[in-house]
Coordinates of all heavy atoms in Angstrom, one line a residue:
G1 N 0.8 -1.2 0.0 CA 0.1 -0.1 0.1 C 0.8 1.1 0.0 O 2.0 1.2 -0.1
T2 N 0.2 2.4 0.1 CA 0.9 3.6 0.1 C 1.8 3.9 1.3 O 2.9 4.4 1.1 CB -0.2 4.8 0.1 OG1 -1.1 4.6 -1.0 CG2 0.4 6.2 0.0
A3 N 1.6 3.3 2.3 CA 2.4 3.4 3.6 C 3.7 3.0 3.3 O 4.7 3.4 3.9 CB 1.8 2.8 4.7
S4 N 3.9 1.9 2.4 CA 5.2 1.3 2.3 C 6.2 2.3 1.4 O 7.3 2.2 1.7 CB 5.0 -0.1 1.5 OG 4.5 0.1 0.1
V5 N 5.6 3.2 0.8 CA 6.5 4.2 0.1 C 6.6 5.6 0.8 O 7.2 6.4 0.2 CB 6.1 4.3 -1.5 CG1 6.2 3.0 -2.2 CG2 4.6 4.8 -1.6
H6 N 5.9 5.7 1.9 CA 5.9 6.8 2.8 C 6.2 6.4 4.1 O 5.4 6.2 5.0 CB 4.6 7.6 2.7 CG 4.1 8.0 1.3 ND1 4.7 9.1 0.7 CD2 3.2 7.5 0.5 CE1 4.1 9.2 -0.4 NE2 3.3 8.3 -0.7
P7 N 7.5 6.3 4.4 CA 8.0 5.8 5.7 C 7.5 6.7 6.9 O 7.1 5.9 7.9 CB 9.5 5.9 5.7 CG 9.9 6.4 4.4 CD 8.7 6.8 3.5
Q8 N 7.2 7.9 6.8 CA 6.7 8.6 8.0 C 5.2 8.3 8.1 O 4.8 8.1 9.3 CB 6.8 10.2 7.7 CG 8.2 10.7 7.8 CD 8.1 12.1 7.5 OE1 7.3 12.8 6.7 NE2 9.2 12.8 8.1
L9 N 4.5 8.0 7.1 CA 3.1 7.6 7.2 C 3.0 6.2 7.8 O 2.2 5.9 8.8 CB 2.4 7.5 5.8 CG 1.0 7.0 5.9 CD1 0.1 7.8 6.8 CD2 0.4 7.0 4.4
A10 N 3.9 5.2 7.3 CA 4.0 4.0 7.8 C 4.2 4.0 9.4 O 3.7 3.2 10.1 CB 5.0 3.0 7.1
R11 N 5.3 4.8 9.8 CA 5.6 4.8 11.2 C 4.4 5.4 12.1 O 4.1 4.8 13.1 CB 6.7 5.8 11.3 CG 7.3 5.9 12.8 CD 8.6 6.5 12.8 NE 8.6 7.9 12.3 CZ 9.3 8.0 11.0 NH1 10.0 7.0 10.5 NH2 9.3 9.2 10.5
R12 N 3.7 6.4 11.6 CA 2.5 6.9 12.3 C 1.4 5.8 12.4 O 0.8 5.7 13.5 CB 2.0 8.3 11.7 CG 2.9 9.3 12.0 CD 2.4 10.7 11.8 NE 1.9 10.8 10.5 CZ 1.5 11.9 10.0 NH1 1.4 12.9 10.7 NH2 1.0 12.0 8.7
I13 N 1.2 5.1 11.3 CA 0.1 4.1 11.3 C 0.5 2.9 12.3 O -0.3 2.6 13.1 CB -0.1 3.5 9.9 CG1 -0.8 4.5 9.1 CG2 -0.9 2.2 10.0 CD1 -0.8 4.2 7.6
A14 N 1.8 2.6 12.3 CA 2.2 1.5 13.2 C 2.2 2.0 14.7 O 1.8 1.2 15.5 CB 3.7 1.1 12.8
E15 N 2.7 3.2 14.9 CA 2.5 3.7 16.3 C 1.1 3.7 16.8 O 0.8 3.5 17.9 CB 3.0 5.1 16.4 CG 4.6 5.1 16.2 CD 5.3 6.4 16.0 OE1 4.4 7.5 16.0 OE2 6.4 6.6 16.0
S16 N 0.2 4.2 15.8 CA -1.2 4.2 16.4 C -1.7 2.9 16.6 O -2.5 2.5 17.6 CB -2.0 4.9 15.2 OG -3.4 4.9 15.6
R17 N -1.5 2.0 15.6 CA -2.0 0.4 15.8 C -1.4 -0.1 17.1 O -2.1 -0.7 17.8 CB -1.4 -0.3 14.6 CG -1.8 -1.7 14.6 CD -0.8 -2.5 13.8 NE 0.6 -2.4 14.3 CZ 1.6 -2.4 13.4 NH1 1.5 -2.3 12.2 NH2 2.9 -2.2 14.0
D18 N -0.2 0.1 17.4 CA 0.5 -0.4 18.5 C -0.1 0.0 19.7 O -0.3 -0.6 20.7 CB 2.0 -0.3 18.5 CG 2.7 -1.2 17.4 OD1 1.9 -2.0 16.8 OD2 3.8 -0.8 17.2
A19 N -0.4 1.4 19.7 CA -1.1 2.1 21.0 C -2.5 1.5 21.2 O -2.9 1.3 22.3 CB -1.1 3.6 20.8
V20 N -3.2 1.4 20.2 CA -4.6 0.6 20.3 C -4.4 -0.7 20.8 O -5.2 -1.1 21.8 CB -5.4 0.8 18.9 CG1 -6.6 0.0 19.0 CG2 -5.7 2.2 18.6
R21 N -3.6 -1.5 20.2 CA -3.4 -2.8 20.7 C -3.0 -2.9 22.2 O -3.5 -3.7 22.9 CB -2.3 -3.5 20.0 CG -2.0 -4.9 20.3 CD -0.9 -5.7 19.6 NE -0.6 -6.9 20.0 CZ 0.2 -7.1 21.1 NH1 0.8 -6.1 21.7 NH2 0.5 -8.4 21.5
Q22 N -2.0 -2.0 22.6 CA -1.7 -2.1 24.0 C -2.8 -1.7 24.9 O -2.9 -2.2 26.1 CB -0.4 -1.0 24.2 CG 0.2 -1.2 25.6 CD 0.7 -2.6 26.0 OE1 1.4 -3.2 25.0 NE2 0.2 -3.2 27.1
S23 N -3.6 -0.7 24.5 CA -4.7 -0.4 25.3 C -5.6 -1.6 25.4 O -6.2 -1.8 26.6 CB -5.5 0.8 24.5 OG -4.8 2.0 24.6
L24 N -5.9 -2.4 24.5 CA -6.7 -3.5 24.5 C -6.0 -4.6 25.4 O -6.7 -5.2 26.2 CB -7.0 -4.0 23.1 CG -8.0 -3.3 22.2 CD1 -7.9 -3.9 20.8 CD2 -9.4 -3.3 22.8
V25 N -4.8 -4.7 25.3 CA -4.0 -5.8 26.1 C -4.2 -5.3 27.6 O -4.4 -6.2 28.5 CB -2.5 -5.8 25.8 CG1 -1.8 -6.5 26.8 CG2 -2.3 -6.3 24.4
D26 N -4.1 -3.9 28.0 CA -4.2 -3.6 29.2 C -5.7 -3.8 29.8 O -5.9 -4.3 30.9 CB -4.1 -2.0 29.3 CG -2.5 -1.8 29.0 OD1 -1.6 -2.7 29.1 OD2 -2.2 -0.5 28.8
V27 N -6.8 -3.5 29.0 CA -8.1 -3.8 29.4 C -8.3 -5.2 29.6 O -8.9 -5.7 30.7 CB -9.1 -3.2 28.3 CG1 -10.5 -3.7 28.6 CG2 -9.1 -1.7 28.3
M28 N -7.8 -6.1 28.7 CA -8.0 -7.5 28.8 C -7.2 -8.0 30.1 O -7.7 -8.9 30.7 CB -7.6 -8.3 27.6 CG -8.4 -8.0 26.4 SD -10.2 -8.6 26.6 CE -11.1 -7.1 26.4
G29 N -6.1 -7.5 30.4 CA -5.3 -7.9 31.5 C -6.1 -7.5 32.8 O -6.1 -8.4 33.6
R30 N -6.6 -6.3 32.8 CA -7.4 -6.0 34.0 C -8.7 -6.9 34.2 O -9.1 -7.3 35.2 CB -7.8 -4.6 34.0 CG -6.6 -3.6 34.2 CD -7.0 -2.1 34.4 NE -7.9 -1.6 33.4 CZ -7.2 -1.0 32.3 NH1 -6.0 -0.9 32.2 NH2 -8.1 -0.4 31.4
A31 N -9.4 -7.1 33.1 CA -10.5 -8.0 33.2 C -10.1 -9.3 33.5 O -10.9 -10.0 34.4 CB -11.2 -8.1 31.8
R32 N -9.0 -10.0 33.1 CA -8.6 -11.3 33.6 C -8.3 -11.2 35.1 O -8.6 -12.2 35.8 CB -7.4 -11.7 32.8 CG -7.0 -13.2 33.2 CD -5.8 -13.7 32.5 NE -4.6 -12.9 32.8 CZ -3.4 -12.9 32.2 NH1 -3.3 -13.6 31.3 NH2 -2.4 -12.2 32.6
A33 N -7.6 -10.2 35.5 CA -7.2 -10.1 37.0 C -8.4 -10.1 37.8 O -8.5 -10.4 39.0 CB -6.4 -8.9 37.2
R34 N -9.5 -9.4 37.3 CA -10.8 -9.3 38.1 C -11.6 -10.6 38.0 O -12.7 -10.7 38.5 CB -11.6 -8.1 37.6 CG -11.0 -6.7 37.9 CD -11.7 -5.6 37.4 NE -13.1 -5.7 38.0 CZ -14.1 -5.0 37.5 NH1 -13.9 -4.3 36.4 NH2 -15.3 -5.1 37.9
G35 N -11.2 -11.6 37.3 CA -11.9 -12.8 37.1 C -12.9 -12.8 36.1 O -13.8 -13.6 36.0
L36 N -13.0 -11.8 35.3 CA -14.0 -11.7 34.2 C -13.7 -12.5 32.9 O -14.5 -12.7 32.0 CB -14.1 -10.2 33.8 CG -14.7 -9.3 34.9 CD1 -14.5 -7.8 34.5 CD2 -16.0 -9.8 35.5
L37 N -12.4 -12.9 32.8 CA -12.1 -13.8 31.7 C -11.5 -15.1 32.2 O -11.1 -15.2 33.4 CB -10.9 -13.1 30.8 CG -11.2 -11.8 30.3 CD1 -9.9 -11.3 29.5 CD2 -12.4 -11.8 29.3
R38 N -11.2 -16.1 31.3 CA -10.6 -17.3 31.7 C -9.4 -17.0 32.4 O -8.6 -16.2 32.0 CB -10.3 -18.2 30.4 CG -11.7 -18.7 29.7 CD -11.4 -19.6 28.5 NE -10.0 -19.7 28.2 CZ -9.6 -20.0 27.0 NH1 -10.5 -20.4 26.1 NH2 -8.3 -20.2 26.7
K39 N -8.9 -17.8 33.2 CA -7.6 -17.7 34.0 C -6.5 -17.8 33.0 O -5.4 -17.1 33.2 CB -7.5 -18.7 35.1 CG -8.3 -18.3 36.3 CD -8.2 -19.4 37.4 CE -9.2 -19.0 38.4 NZ -9.1 -19.9 39.6
D40 N -6.6 -18.6 31.9 CA -5.6 -18.9 31.0 C -5.7 -17.9 29.8 O -5.0 -18.1 28.8 CB -5.4 -20.2 30.6 CG -6.7 -20.8 29.8 OD1 -7.7 -20.1 29.8 OD2 -6.5 -21.8 29.1
A41 N -6.6 -16.9 29.8 CA -6.8 -16.1 28.7 C -5.6 -15.3 28.5 O -4.9 -14.8 29.5 CB -8.0 -15.2 28.9
D42 N -5.1 -15.0 27.2 CA -4.0 -14.3 26.9 C -4.4 -12.9 26.4 O -4.9 -12.8 25.3 CB -3.0 -15.1 25.8 CG -1.8 -14.4 25.5 OD1 -1.7 -13.2 25.8 OD2 -1.0 -15.0 24.9
P43 N -4.1 -11.8 27.3 CA -4.6 -10.5 26.8 C -4.0 -10.1 25.4 O -4.6 -9.5 24.6 CB -4.2 -9.7 27.9 CG -4.2 -10.5 29.2 CD -3.7 -11.9 28.5
A44 N -2.7 -10.4 25.2 CA -2.1 -10.0 24.0 C -2.7 -10.8 22.8 O -2.8 -10.1 21.8 CB -0.5 -10.3 24.0
A45 N -3.0 -12.1 23.0 CA -3.5 -12.8 21.9 C -5.0 -12.3 21.6 O -5.3 -12.1 20.3 CB -3.6 -14.2 22.3
I46 N -5.8 -11.9 22.6 CA -7.1 -11.4 22.3 C -7.0 -10.2 21.6 O -7.8 -10.0 20.6 CB -7.9 -11.3 23.7 CG1 -8.1 -12.7 24.4 CG2 -9.2 -10.6 23.5 CD1 -8.6 -12.6 25.7
A47 N -6.2 -9.2 22.0 CA -6.0 -8.0 21.4 C -5.6 -8.1 20.0 O -6.2 -7.4 19.0 CB -5.1 -7.0 22.2
T48 N -4.6 -8.9 19.8 CA -4.1 -9.1 18.4 C -5.0 -9.7 17.5 O -5.3 -9.2 16.4 CB -2.8 -9.9 18.4 OG1 -1.9 -9.3 19.3 CG2 -2.1 -10.2 17.1
V49 N -5.7 -10.7 18.0 CA -6.8 -11.3 17.0 C -7.9 -10.3 16.8 O -8.3 -10.3 15.6 CB -7.4 -12.7 17.7 CG1 -8.6 -13.1 17.0 CG2 -6.2 -13.7 17.7
H50 N -8.3 -9.6 17.8 CA -9.4 -8.7 17.5 C -9.1 -7.7 16.5 O -9.8 -7.4 15.5 CB -9.8 -8.0 18.9 CG -10.9 -7.0 18.8 ND1 -12.1 -7.3 18.3 CD2 -10.9 -5.7 19.1 CE1 -12.8 -6.1 18.3 NE2 -12.0 -5.2 18.8
L51 N -7.8 -7.0 16.6 CA -7.5 -6.0 15.7 C -7.2 -6.6 14.3 O -7.6 -6.0 13.3 CB -6.2 -5.4 16.2 CG -6.4 -4.4 17.4 CD1 -5.0 -3.8 17.7 CD2 -7.4 -3.3 17.1
S52 N -6.7 -7.8 14.2 CA -6.5 -8.5 13.0 C -7.9 -8.7 12.2 O -7.9 -8.5 11.0 CB -5.8 -9.7 13.2 OG -4.5 -9.5 13.6
L53 N -8.8 -9.2 13.0 CA -10.2 -9.4 12.4 C -10.8 -8.1 12.0 O -11.5 -8.1 10.9 CB -11.1 -10.2 13.4 CG -10.7 -11.6 13.7 CD1 -11.4 -12.1 14.9 CD2 -10.9 -12.5 12.5
I54 N -10.6 -7.1 12.8 CA -11.2 -5.7 12.3 C -10.6 -5.3 11.0 O -11.3 -4.8 10.1 CB -11.0 -4.7 13.5 CG1 -12.0 -5.0 14.6 CG2 -11.3 -3.3 13.0 CD1 -11.8 -4.2 15.9
H55 N -9.2 -5.3 11.0 CA -8.6 -4.8 9.8 C -8.9 -5.9 8.6 O -9.1 -5.4 7.4 CB -7.1 -5.0 9.9 CG -6.6 -3.9 10.8 ND1 -6.8 -2.5 10.4 CD2 -6.1 -3.8 12.0 CE1 -6.2 -1.7 11.4 NE2 -5.9 -2.5 12.4
G56 N -9.2 -7.1 8.8 CA -9.5 -7.9 7.7 C -11.0 -7.7 7.3 O -11.3 -7.8 6.1
Y57 N -11.8 -7.3 8.3 CA -13.2 -7.0 8.0 C -13.3 -5.8 7.1 O -14.1 -5.7 6.1 CB -14.0 -6.7 9.3 CG -15.4 -6.4 9.1 CD1 -16.3 -7.4 8.8 CD2 -15.9 -5.1 9.0 CE1 -17.6 -7.1 8.7 CE2 -17.3 -4.8 8.8 CZ -18.2 -5.9 8.6 OH -19.5 -5.6 8.5
S58 N -12.2 -4.9 7.2 CA -12.3 -3.7 6.3 C -12.1 -4.1 4.9 O -12.7 -3.3 4.0 CB -11.2 -2.6 6.9 OG -10.0 -3.1 6.7
I59 N -11.4 -5.2 4.6 CA -11.0 -5.6 3.3 C -12.4 -6.1 2.6 O -12.7 -5.9 1.4 CB -10.0 -6.7 3.2 CG1 -8.7 -6.2 3.7 CG2 -9.9 -7.3 1.8 CD1 -8.2 -5.0 3.0
W60 N -13.3 -6.8 3.5 CA -14.5 -7.3 3.0 C -15.5 -6.2 2.6 O -16.4 -6.4 1.8 CB -15.2 -8.3 4.0 CG -14.5 -9.5 4.1 CD1 -13.7 -9.9 5.2 CD2 -14.5 -10.6 3.3 NE1 -13.3 -11.2 5.0 CE2 -13.7 -11.6 3.7 CE3 -15.1 -10.7 1.9 CZ2 -13.5 -12.8 3.1 CZ3 -14.8 -12.0 1.3 CH2 -14.1 -13.1 2.0
E61 N -15.2 -5.0 3.0 CA -16.3 -3.9 2.8 C -15.9 -3.3 1.4 O -16.6 -2.5 0.9 CB -16.1 -2.8 3.8 CG -16.6 -3.2 5.2 CD -16.6 -2.1 6.2 OE1 -15.6 -1.3 6.0 OE2 -17.4 -2.2 7.2
L62 N -14.7 -3.7 0.6 CA -14.4 -3.3 -0.5 C -15.1 -4.1 -1.7 O -15.1 -5.3 -1.4 CB -12.9 -3.3 -0.8 CG -12.0 -2.6 0.2 CD1 -10.6 -2.9 -0.1 CD2 -12.3 -1.1 0.0
G63 N -15.6 -3.4 -2.7 CA -16.1 -4.3 -3.7 C -17.5 -4.8 -3.5 O -18.2 -4.4 -2.4
E64 N -18.0 -5.7 -4.3 CA -19.3 -6.4 -4.1 C -19.3 -7.3 -2.8 O -18.2 -8.0 -2.5 CB -19.6 -7.2 -5.2 CG -19.9 -6.4 -6.5 CD -20.2 -7.4 -7.7 OE1 -21.0 -8.3 -7.5 OE2 -19.9 -6.9 -8.8
E65 N -20.4 -7.4 -2.2 CA -20.6 -8.2 -1.1 C -20.7 -9.7 -1.4 O -21.7 -10.1 -2.0 CB -21.7 -7.8 -0.2 CG -21.7 -8.5 1.2 CD -22.9 -8.0 2.1 OE1 -22.9 -6.7 2.2 OE2 -23.6 -8.7 2.6
T66 N -19.6 -10.5 -1.2 CA -19.6 -11.9 -1.5 C -19.9 -12.8 -0.4 O -20.2 -14.0 -0.5 CB -18.2 -12.3 -2.2 OG1 -17.2 -12.0 -1.2 CG2 -18.0 -11.6 -3.5
I67 N -19.7 -12.3 0.9 CA -20.0 -13.0 2.0 C -21.0 -11.9 2.9 O -20.6 -10.9 3.1 CB -18.8 -13.3 2.8 CG1 -17.9 -14.3 2.1 CG2 -19.2 -13.9 4.2 CD1 -16.6 -14.7 2.8
D68 N -22.0 -12.6 3.5 CA -22.8 -11.9 4.2 C -22.2 -11.2 5.5 O -21.5 -12.0 6.1 CB -24.1 -12.8 4.7 CG -25.1 -12.0 5.5 OD1 -24.9 -11.0 6.1 OD2 -26.4 -12.6 5.5
R69 N -22.3 -10.0 5.6 CA -21.6 -9.3 6.8 C -21.9 -10.0 8.1 O -21.1 -9.9 9.0 CB -21.8 -7.8 6.6 CG -21.1 -7.2 5.6 CD -21.3 -5.7 5.5 NE -20.7 -5.3 4.3 CZ -20.7 -4.1 3.8 NH1 -21.3 -3.1 4.6 NH2 -20.2 -3.7 2.8
S70 N -23.1 -10.3 8.3 CA -23.5 -11.0 9.5 C -22.7 -12.3 9.9 O -22.4 -12.5 10.9 CB -25.0 -11.2 9.6 OG -25.3 -12.2 8.7
F71 N -22.4 -13.0 8.7 CA -21.5 -14.1 9.0 C -20.2 -13.7 9.4 O -19.5 -14.3 10.3 CB -21.4 -14.9 7.6 CG -20.5 -16.0 7.7 CD1 -20.8 -17.2 8.2 CD2 -19.1 -15.9 7.3 CE1 -20.0 -18.4 8.4 CE2 -18.2 -17.0 7.3 CZ -18.6 -18.2 7.9
I72 N -19.5 -12.6 9.0 CA -18.2 -12.2 9.4 C -18.4 -11.7 10.9 O -17.5 -12.1 11.7 CB -17.8 -11.0 8.4 CG1 -17.6 -11.6 7.1 CG2 -16.5 -10.4 8.9 CD1 -17.3 -10.5 6.1
T73 N -19.4 -10.9 11.2 CA -19.4 -10.3 12.6 C -19.6 -11.6 13.6 O -19.1 -11.6 14.6 CB -20.5 -9.3 12.7 OG1 -21.8 -9.8 12.3 CG2 -20.1 -8.0 11.9
D74 N -20.5 -12.5 13.1 CA -20.7 -13.8 14.0 C -19.4 -14.5 14.2 O -19.2 -15.0 15.3 CB -21.9 -14.7 13.3 CG -23.2 -13.9 13.4 OD1 -23.4 -13.0 14.3 OD2 -24.2 -14.4 12.8
A75 N -18.7 -14.7 13.1 CA -17.4 -15.5 13.2 C -16.4 -14.7 14.1 O -15.8 -15.3 15.0 CB -16.9 -15.6 11.8
H76 N -16.4 -13.4 14.0 CA -15.5 -12.5 14.8 C -15.8 -12.8 16.3 O -15.0 -13.0 17.1 CB -15.7 -11.1 14.5 CG -14.8 -10.1 15.1 ND1 -14.8 -8.8 14.6 CD2 -13.9 -10.2 16.2 CE1 -13.9 -8.2 15.6 NE2 -13.4 -9.0 16.4
R77 N -17.2 -12.6 16.6 CA -17.7 -12.8 17.9 C -17.3 -14.1 18.5 O -16.9 -14.3 19.6 CB -19.1 -12.6 18.0 CG -19.8 -12.6 19.4 CD -21.3 -12.3 19.4 NE -21.6 -11.1 18.8 CZ -22.2 -11.0 17.6 NH1 -22.7 -11.9 16.9 NH2 -22.5 -9.6 17.2
A78 N -17.5 -15.2 17.7 CA -17.3 -16.6 18.1 C -15.8 -16.8 18.4 O -15.5 -17.4 19.5 CB -17.7 -17.5 17.1
V79 N -14.9 -16.3 17.6 CA -13.5 -16.5 17.9 C -13.1 -15.7 19.2 O -12.4 -16.2 20.0 CB -12.7 -15.8 16.7 CG1 -11.2 -15.7 17.1 CG2 -12.9 -16.8 15.5
L80 N -13.5 -14.4 19.3 CA -13.1 -13.7 20.5 C -13.7 -14.4 21.8 O -13.0 -14.5 22.7 CB -13.6 -12.3 20.4 CG -12.8 -11.4 19.5 CD1 -13.4 -10.0 19.6 CD2 -11.4 -11.3 19.9
L81 N -14.9 -14.8 21.8 CA -15.5 -15.4 22.9 C -14.9 -16.7 23.3 O -14.6 -17.0 24.5 CB -17.1 -15.6 22.7 CG -17.9 -14.4 22.6 CD1 -19.4 -14.7 22.4 CD2 -17.8 -13.5 23.9
S82 N -14.4 -17.4 22.3 CA -13.8 -18.7 22.5 C -12.4 -18.5 23.3 O -11.9 -19.2 24.1 CB -13.6 -19.5 21.3 OG -12.6 -19.0 20.5
L83 N -11.8 -17.3 22.9 CA -10.5 -16.9 23.6 C -10.8 -16.4 25.0 O -9.7 -16.4 25.8 CB -9.7 -15.9 22.8 CG -9.2 -16.4 21.4 CD1 -8.6 -15.2 20.6 CD2 -8.1 -17.3 21.5
M84 N -11.8 -15.8 25.2 CA -12.1 -15.1 26.5 C -12.8 -15.9 27.6 O -12.5 -15.8 28.8 CB -12.8 -13.8 26.2 CG -12.2 -12.9 25.3 SD -13.2 -11.5 24.7 CE -13.6 -10.6 26.1
F85 N -13.7 -16.7 27.1 CA -14.5 -17.4 28.2 C -14.6 -19.0 27.9 O -14.3 -19.4 26.8 CB -15.9 -17.0 28.1 CG -16.0 -15.5 28.1 CD1 -16.4 -14.6 27.1 CD2 -15.9 -14.8 29.3 CE1 -16.5 -13.3 27.1 CE2 -15.9 -13.4 29.4 CZ -16.2 -12.7 28.3
D86 N -14.8 -19.7 29.0 CA -15.1 -21.2 29.0 C -16.3 -21.5 28.2 O -17.2 -20.8 28.3 CB -15.0 -21.8 30.3 CG -13.7 -21.6 30.9 OD1 -12.7 -21.8 30.2 OD2 -13.5 -21.5 32.2

């Protein structure tokens, strides 16, 4: 993409992405510490999977709809819930 030929843009995107991921890791870590998530839940994995799915979802929004969006959101939810809860 464009960011690869614009190093400053790429750096700002990466910094923003990493900050959002770290915020999610922190929230998931606090939730696990309070007993709201599985004891073996990995906050970093949850945050990374969540952001990856969101970025992937944005690709599905391009062009014609070949997969029902509710299928994508249901799959996203199922993956996250399986990482977070028994």
